[in-house]
Every structure is written in structure tokens, then in C-alpha cells.
Amino acid sequence: MSTAFPQAAKVALGMPQLRSNLAHATGTIRAKRAKVAGELDDWEQLRSAAAAIKADVQRRMPELAVAFERNATEAGATVHWARDAAEANAIAARITREAGADEVVKVKSMATQEIELNEHFEAEGLAAWETDLAELIVQLAEDKPSHILVPAIHYNRTEIRDIFRNRMADAPKGLTDDPAALAEAARLHLRRRFLSAKVAVSGANFAVAETGSLVVVESEGNGRMCLTMPETLISVVGVEKLLPRFADLEVFMQLLPRSSTGERMNPYTSVWTGRAAGDGPKDVHIILLDNGRTEVLADEVGRQALSCIRCSACLNVCPVYERTGGHAYGHVYPGPIGAILAPQLEPGRHDDLPYASSLCGACYEVCPVKINIPEVLVHLRQQGPHQAGEKAAMGAAEAVMARPRLWRAALGAARFFSRPWRGRGFVRRLPWPGSKWTMSRDMPVPPKESFRDWWKERER
Amino acid sequence: MSRIGLFITCVNDALYPQTPKAVVAVLERLGYEVDFPRAQTCCGQMHANSGYRGDATRLAESFERVFGSYDAVVTPSGSCAAMARDQYPGLIGSDIGERVYELSEFLLDRAGVDDVGARFPHTVTYHPTCHGTRALGLGDKPLRLLRAVDGIELVELPEADQCCGFGGTFALKNADVSSAMLEDKCRNAAGTGAEYLAAADNSCLTHIGGGISRSGGPKPIHYAEILASTA
Ligand code: SF4
């Protein structure tokens, strides 16, 4: 069980470097996204189209998964089904061993983070090397990603230079924190891995049922190296990544780069359909992962979380995420999407996450697939569980508010008993739980005359 | 003549009589007759958003009972109007929310006026509250009304669209994050040098005002009070 969000958030709030890194990074990407999204006249129609396609996928998931399996198999891929993380990891490890390898290179993938593939491989005596620059930084630092798209967003470049210097054996001497120098150091380090790797592990952004194709969208080209050079390719794909038709990509390829990196187009999009003779990996495996997803599908409100294309726009605009960073959420999916996905994927383990939001709605406004995150947050809050004291207080408040006469009496009492503070106009310190309010805010004092009194007087 | 009910909200009922008074003044100045049904209490938003669906349902039902017969319900709160419009259909299967108007919606969309004949010779900065702006889709409606006020000088609030950190029980459950958000809002508000910080929700203003009361900055005011002013 991870630390509760409020406590973890408090720790993060006390780290000024983290806060300034985050504010800077999210602020920059937020502005870029707003600019490129604003360029498209049909942005709203694209969002609606994407939401409709995803809703269709959720209605026809079994049918589409079977079609995908058939078409991918016909094209020469081997499709495996994994009910949970343990099954997926075991399949991936077995394929790696059968390929005569004891290490794999990895394309950046949230699904493999979710199933903790790296940790599992390590426990089995296999090595999994991240090749996405930011994932590499996080792996070298023996840290956890704190953002879906920019896993090392919590580091600035000086910190990254130190990680390279201290933890990357082949780091050049005298490495500076110049971004170009850092990238070059990583490039040299990774090149050796690409050239020796026999097996690669990836995720996928989309899985096209109609053709059996997988799609990986990336920026660096390191993914492309992994997808094409090794002999064996293993892709771990959550079943919600399915799309019915190849043509559906047209919608998503406009939305995803703009929403995630704030670019009109991403530099590398790899699409592969099974095996191709004389080109790319000879042995292509696809692990279709459930890991709680069909359970989520059963909840008609909650299931919109499965529409997520992991663009991370909601993280970048979230005022809570911006201040706490990803680690406070205690799950691979942080921010607004994590707050609705983690508690559904792992019921009972993240009950405080639906409350990690002021319901400001900035996430819903930017989400390219129109997931109504505030609606799902409220929905999950309504599923409980509720703390007993709070439940009693809420019940008592409702009992008063549902009875106009009692309500008026309660307001009258509040006006009466707050008289001593009226001169000053506010209260600086309240006892618990009011102290949670007055830790940073003064509390206004009820007025001498209520609106009701005034209205009654007027009606005479 | 259509019947207009005034929903003052529980927060104003308890703490801010001047806001609903201002709504009455503006509407009457425009020739509307307003009714205040005394049995009103709370829209149920706090309960719904905190996860207490049963409690919220009962409060929504009582709102429906009290206001069901009105042609229009006007309220000086973007979040309470959003509650009725967004959540009542799912909660109690009622579309009464279609007839619940946040004040600026009523004035601009129903009454068709943007100049309500107000005068307020002060500098004002405006915070667009989240539920009003995003959930209800108010856009810049309150600002449009403010721009037409005589003598007012509006100054832009930096990072205006950032949430102030109130969020109902969020302010208590995640008090540290809420306070960090508040700190930034107060700094931005103070930086404007304005005399007043206006908004469309007194719950957010209680939070922001409570912070400004310590750190200094513009005086919080509901924008309805500016519209009511003829000073
Ligand atoms: S929930 Fe929406 S905005 Fe957030 S990561 Fe997923 S697709 Fe992007």
C-alpha cells in the first residue's frame, strides 16, 4: 500500500527544486499544446470523433480483440493473452529465454511500467534496458517515473548530468549539463545496447483490429531502433488500445502529438503488421493484456477511463499534479487520469486518489478523447468507502439542510454564537477539523442580519 | 410575466447576505419581480462532490420541490447552477437545471442586457471560477457585464484560469495542496494592485479572501455587488 496522497503530497510540496522543475516543465508544454490545438478549426470535432471511436471499442471489445488476434496471426505474429501482470511477465520472460537472450532493450511503454516488467525480469535474472532518454534517466537513478510522457520531468538538467556521471559507466569525462552533450552521452550509451540486443520489448499506442497492426508513436527514434533491429519483438498491449479500423488512426494521429508533446506531428510513427520477410524482427509476439480492464469496462461511468491515449495533457494542466508531481499518486498513472484509473484497476488500493482533485475541470477541457474526468472522480467518490466520522458529519448536515426550519435555526444559532468575533470580521484559528481551513485561511464571521431577515423586513 | 425564483445558496444564506441583496437590486432595476422561496436550503453539491450520493439526492429533491414551479431560477453561483444542470439529471432525473441560471446567464441570455446601469469607480480584477467557467460554460459572461459598468477599471489577473484551490471539501482533505494553490492565486491577485477581486462564486471567494486576509491584496467581492452598485 502506498502512502496516502495527502501525506505524500505534503512531502512533495516541501521540495522547492521539484516544484520549480514541475512548474517550469508543465507550464512550457501547456502553452505549446494550447497553441497547436488552437490551430485546428475542427479540434472539437476531432475530440468528439475520438471519443465516439473509443466508446465503440468499449462496446465491442471482445469482438475486436478476436479480430485483431486473427489478423495479426495471419500476418505472422504470435498473439498471447494475459489475464494479469504475472501472466504477461511470465510470457515475456519465457519468450526472451527461448530466444537465447538474457537481456532486452525497451521502447517506452506504460503497459510494461504498469505490470512492472523490469522488476520482474530482474527477479528472474534477466535485464531490461530502457532506451527512451527520460526512462533511461529514471532507470539509472533507480527511481520511478513521475509523468506518463516525460518520466524524468522531476529532474532538471543539472540533476540529470549528475545521474549520468555517477551511474552510467560509459559517461564521457567532463560531461556538462548542456542538453546536446547529455543527449550525445545517452546516444553513445544506447547505441551499444541496440547493436547487441537480440530481443526488444515494446508497448503500443494503437492496435488496429481490421489489419492486426500495432502502432508506436515516439519522438526520439530509439523506439524505432528497438522495433527494427533485434530478431525478436515482444509487444505488451492493453486491450483498450484497440481501434476498429486503420482509418481511425487519422483522428488519433492528429490529436495525440498535439496533446502530448505539443507538436503538430511526432518525429517517428512505427506501424507494423506481423512479420515482413527480410525486414525487421523475425519473431513477433503480441501480449494482449487485461489486468483489470474488463472489470473497469463493467462500470458504465468509470469505463471512459479506458479511452485514455496516454497523452498526458491532463497532467500538464492539473494544478494538483503541477504542485505534487507524479510520485505522490503512488501509481504508474499519476495526475487526473491516474486518479480515475488507478482506483479502478486496483480496487481498494487507491481510495484517496479520487479526492486528489479540486474538480476544477481543466483536465476534461484538454482531454483529446473527452474523458469527463471530474464526472468519474465524483462517481468514484460516490462508490465509497467513507470514513465514519465524516459520514456522520455529512449525514448530520444533510439532516439539517433537508429541513428548512432546522436550517434556519442553525443559521440563527451560528449568527448568535459568533457575536464575539463580529467586530473583527473573521476568525483566525478554529479547532479541528476547522483547523484544516484556518491553517491558511481566515474564516469569515456570519453577519448580524441575514438575507432572510432583510427579505422579511422588506415584505412587510 | 414569468415567475423568477431566487436561489441564494447556502453559503450566502450563512455568510453573505449582501450578494443575494445585490441580485435582487439588479433584477428589480431591470424591471423583474423576484421571489424568494423561504424553504430553500442547499443544492446538494457538497454532498454529491464529496461522495454522499444519498444525502445529495435528498437535497436535490428538496430543491426541485421548492423551485419546481418557477419559470426561471436565478442564482449568484456558477457552481450551484452547474450542480443543478450537470448532476440533477443523473441524481434525480430532473431537468430543472435547464431553468437554473447563474446571474450573468440570466442577464445576457434571457434578459438580453449587458449594461445593467451600474457605476463602480474602482480598479477590479476578475477570477473566473472553475465550475462557472468550465462546467457551466460561462466563458467571459460576468466579465462582459463588468466591462459595461461605468467608472470601473478592469485589470487582468495573471494565470486567471488556474483553480484557486478551493474545491469544496478538497480544501480540507488536501489542505496542503489547496493552500499551495491558494498562495499562487493570492500572489497573482495582489500583484495586480487592484482594489477588488471579483468572482462569480462566494465559496471560492471565501477561500481566496481568507488567504488575502493574511497575505494582503484586493478585497474580495461578488461581481453581483458591483453590478448592484450605483455609487
Ligand atoms: S485522460 Fe485524456 S488528457 Fe489525460 S492522458 Fe488520457 S487521453 Fe490524455
Side-chain angles (χ1 to χ4, degrees), chain A residues 308-314 337 367-369 371 373:
Chain A
C308 175
I309 56 173
R310 311 278 188 263
C311 73
S312 73
C314 59
I337 181 61
C367 177
V369 287
I371 300 172
I373 295 175

Side-chain angles (χ1 to χ4, degrees), chain B:
Chain B
M1 185 83 197
S2 59
R3 288 186 73 223
I4 300 172
L6 172 65
F7 174 52
I8 65 174
T9 81
C10 61
V11 169
N12 292 322
D13 207 350
L15 293 171
Y16 304 107
Q18 66 274 27
T19 301
K21 280 189 211 170
V23 176
V24 172
V26 172
L27 292 174
E28 289 184 348
R29 192 194 300 150
L30 296 172
Y32 290 95
E33 202 179 304
V34 196
D35 193 22
F36 171 70
R38 287 182 71 216
Q40 64 179 277
T41 59
C42 168
C43 67
Q45 183 184 186
M46 176 182 76
H47 287 93
N49 288 351
S50 306
Y52 296 87
R53 195 182 165 91
D55 293 334
T57 303
R58 286 186 287 279
L59 292 171
E61 282 164 355
S62 104
F63 183 97
E64 160 98 64
R65 262 198 310 279
V66 173
F67 287 104
S69 66
Y70 288 93
D71 302 304
V73 180
V74 179
T75 184
S77 162
S79 67
C80 301
M83 169 69 191
R85 212 173 295 163
D86 288 353
Q87 297 204 40
Y88 282 12
L91 216 49
I92 56 169
S94 160
D95 65 357
I96 190 174
E98 309 278 314
R99 284 174 285 136
V100 177
Y101 296 87
E102 189 282 328
L103 177 66
S104 70
E105 294 179 303
F106 184 84
L107 294 175
L108 288 162
D109 303 343
R110 232 180 118 128
V113 286
D114 53 10
D115 186 346
V116 297
R119 179 171 162 72
F120 195 71
H122 299 282
T123 50
V124 175
T125 190
Y126 174 75
H127 167 61
T129 52
C130 301
H131 282 185
T133 311
R134 299 203 181 91
L136 206 58
L138 286 185
D140 68 345
K141 281 176 191 169
L143 256 183
R144 269 158 64 194
L145 293 162
L146 289 177
R147 283 194 202 109
V149 171
D150 186 34
I152 198 169
E153 193 195 322
L154 285 165
V155 268
E156 203 175 313
L157 178 66
E159 295 172 32
D161 63 348
Q162 292 285 307
C163 176
C164 69
F166 172 60
T169 45
F170 172 78
L172 306 177
K173 282 180 188 277
N174 279 285
D176 295 289
V177 184
S178 169
S179 302
M181 290 160 72
L182 172 64
E183 204 180 299
D184 292 341
K185 186 57 73 183
C186 289
R187 186 172 14 80
N188 281 322
T192 63
E195 294 166 76
Y196 291 92
L197 171 81
D201 245 302
N202 275 339
S203 46
C204 309
L205 282 174
T206 304
H207 168 80
I208 305 174
I212 286 180
S213 162
R214 294 184 186 182
S215 61
K219 194 170 144 42
I221 187 171
H222 192 286
Y223 81 98
E225 293 164 40
I226 298 180
L227 300 184
S229 162
T230 50

Side-chain angles (χ1 to χ4, degrees), chain A residues 26-179:
Chain A
T26 55
T28 309
I29 199 161
R30 206 153 60 204
K32 277 174 79 180
R33 189 214 72 89
K35 180 167 169 281
V36 295
E39 287 172 354
L40 294 185
D41 296 336
D42 59 350
W43 185 253
E44 288 309 313
Q45 286 97 311
L46 282 168
R47 291 177 74 212
S48 300
I53 294 167
K54 286 290 190 177
D56 179 40
V57 169
Q58 284 153 26
R59 274 191 297 271
R60 302 196 284 136
M61 187 85 85
E63 168 198 335
L64 292 171
V66 170
F68 176 84
E69 179 189 34
R70 187 177 56 239
N71 294 323
T73 309
E74 255 169 40
T78 310
V79 177
H80 311 258
W81 299 79
R83 197 171 312 149
D84 53 26
E87 278 188 19
N89 285 325
I91 297 167
R94 177 170 53 75
I95 299 168
T96 303
R97 286 226 176 75
E98 283 171 7
D102 59 4
E103 59 174 25
V104 300
V105 284
K106 282 187 70 198
V107 185
K108 177 168 170 21
S109 134
M110 289 311 299
T112 59
Q113 292 281 0
E114 178 189 322
I115 63 173
E116 300 188 319
L117 180 133
N118 296 8
E119 289 80 354
H120 180 86
F121 267 41
E122 200 185 318
E124 292 226 354
L126 301 168
W129 305 111
E130 296 291 347
T131 69
D132 172 85
L133 178 54
E135 292 283 6
L136 170 70
I137 294 164
V138 170
Q139 188 176 37
L140 286 171
E142 293 178 34
D143 195 1
K144 291 265 183 198
S146 68
H147 188 279
I148 294 175
L149 183 80
V150 202
I153 197 168
H154 53 297
Y155 294 124
N156 64 17
R157 56 194 164 102
T158 316
E159 292 167 315
I160 293 168
R161 180 203 57 196
D162 294 342
I163 293 167
F164 278 9
R165 274 193 188 162
N166 301 332
R167 308 230 171 187
M168 199 162 76
D170 51 358
K173 281 203 182 61
L175 180 65
T176 66
D177 65 358
D178 171 35

Side-chain angles (χ1 to χ4, degrees), chain A residues 399-441:
Chain A
V400 172
M401 286 170 152
R403 292 169 184 76
R405 216 176 282 212
L406 261 183
W407 168 244
R408 290 197 295 272
L411 293 183
R415 282 197 302 282
F416 180 80
F417 288 109
S418 60
R419 279 175 312 164
W421 290 273
R422 192 162 298 137
R424 195 168 177 206
F426 59 82
V427 179
R428 181 134 291 179
R429 280 173 71 167
L430 287 169
W432 192 90
S435 56
K436 288 270 179 194
W437 179 269
T438 49
M439 69 177 263
S440 61
R441 299 149 281 220

Side-chain angles (χ1 to χ4, degrees), chain A residues 102-441:
Chain A
D102 59 4
E103 59 174 25
V104 300
V105 284
K106 282 187 70 198
V107 185
K108 177 168 170 21
S109 134
M110 289 311 299
T112 59
Q113 292 281 0
E114 178 189 322
I115 63 173
E116 300 188 319
L117 180 133
N118 296 8
E119 289 80 354
H120 180 86
F121 267 41
E122 200 185 318
E124 292 226 354
L126 301 168
W129 305 111
E130 296 291 347
T131 69
D132 172 85
L133 178 54
E135 292 283 6
L136 170 70
I137 294 164
V138 170
Q139 188 176 37
L140 286 171
E142 293 178 34
D143 195 1
K144 291 265 183 198
S146 68
H147 188 279
I148 294 175
L149 183 80
V150 202
I153 197 168
H154 53 297
Y155 294 124
N156 64 17
R157 56 194 164 102
T158 316
E159 292 167 315
I160 293 168
R161 180 203 57 196
D162 294 342
I163 293 167
F164 278 9
R165 274 193 188 162
N166 301 332
R167 308 230 171 187
M168 199 162 76
D170 51 358
K173 281 203 182 61
L175 180 65
T176 66
D177 65 358
D178 171 35
L182 293 173
E184 182 61 15
R187 199 173 285 133
L188 293 170
H189 172 77
L190 289 170
R191 190 149 301 164
R192 281 183 277 274
R193 297 231 185 274
F194 292 135
L195 290 173
S196 62
K198 286 199 193 123
V199 179
V201 172
S202 84
N205 294 89
F206 307 103
V208 182
E210 178 186 53
T211 57
S213 313
L214 291 183
V215 183
V216 162
V217 178
E218 50 141 355
S219 294
E220 296 172 353
N222 293 342
R224 174 74 58 83
M225 299 287 269
C226 297
L227 296 171
T228 51
M229 294 188 61
E231 299 271 285
T232 302
L233 174 60
I234 306 166
S235 304
V236 182
V237 185
V239 283
E240 84 284 12
K241 298 282 161 194
L242 287 161
L243 291 181
R245 293 156 300 264
F246 198 81
D248 296 328
L249 288 172
E250 187 241 330
V251 173
F252 292 94
M253 290 310 297
Q254 293 188 71
L255 290 167
L256 181 53
R258 284 185 157 86
S259 300
S260 57
T261 50
E263 295 167 303
R264 297 185 186 97
M265 227 181 121
N266 54 295
Y268 294 89
T269 301
S270 303
V271 184
W272 69 101
T273 308
R275 268 177 316 184
D279 188 16
K282 295 192 177 57
D283 202 9
V284 173
H285 294 267
I286 302 165
I287 303 174
L288 283 177
L289 175 72
D290 185 334
N291 208 26
R293 285 160 175 76
T294 44
E295 291 291 317
V296 181
L297 210 50
D299 182 329
E300 279 185 28
V301 180
R303 73 167 162 220
Q304 29 180 332
L306 295 181
S307 298
C308 175
I309 56 173
R310 311 278 188 263
C311 73
S312 73
C314 59
L315 277 63
N316 299 328
V317 298
C318 177
V320 176
Y321 176 87
E322 183 190 324
R323 286 169 180 83
T324 65
H327 292 157
Y329 292 78
H331 193 268
V332 282
Y333 302 117
I337 181 61
I340 61 169
L341 198 52
Q344 296 197 84
L345 288 177
E346 299 177 346
R349 285 195 55 200
H350 305 277
D351 292 337
D352 54 346
L353 287 188
Y355 296 92
S357 165
S358 65
L359 303 179
C360 81
C363 46
Y364 180 29
E365 197 172 58
V366 298
C367 177
V369 287
K370 270 192 162 169
I371 300 172
N372 190 336
I373 295 175
E375 178 188 38
V376 182
L377 287 167
V378 169
H379 172 72
L380 294 175
R381 291 176 184 186
Q382 291 177 355
Q383 316 288 301
H386 295 128
Q387 195 245 333
E390 182 192 278
K391 192 171 174 183
M394 285 286 181
E398 185 271 327
V400 172
M401 286 170 152
R403 292 169 184 76
R405 216 176 282 212
L406 261 183
W407 168 244
R408 290 197 295 272
L411 293 183
R415 282 197 302 282
F416 180 80
F417 288 109
S418 60
R419 279 175 312 164
W421 290 273
R422 192 162 298 137
R424 195 168 177 206
F426 59 82
V427 179
R428 181 134 291 179
R429 280 173 71 167
L430 287 169
W432 192 90
S435 56
K436 288 270 179 194
W437 179 269
T438 49
M439 69 177 263
S440 61
R441 299 149 281 220

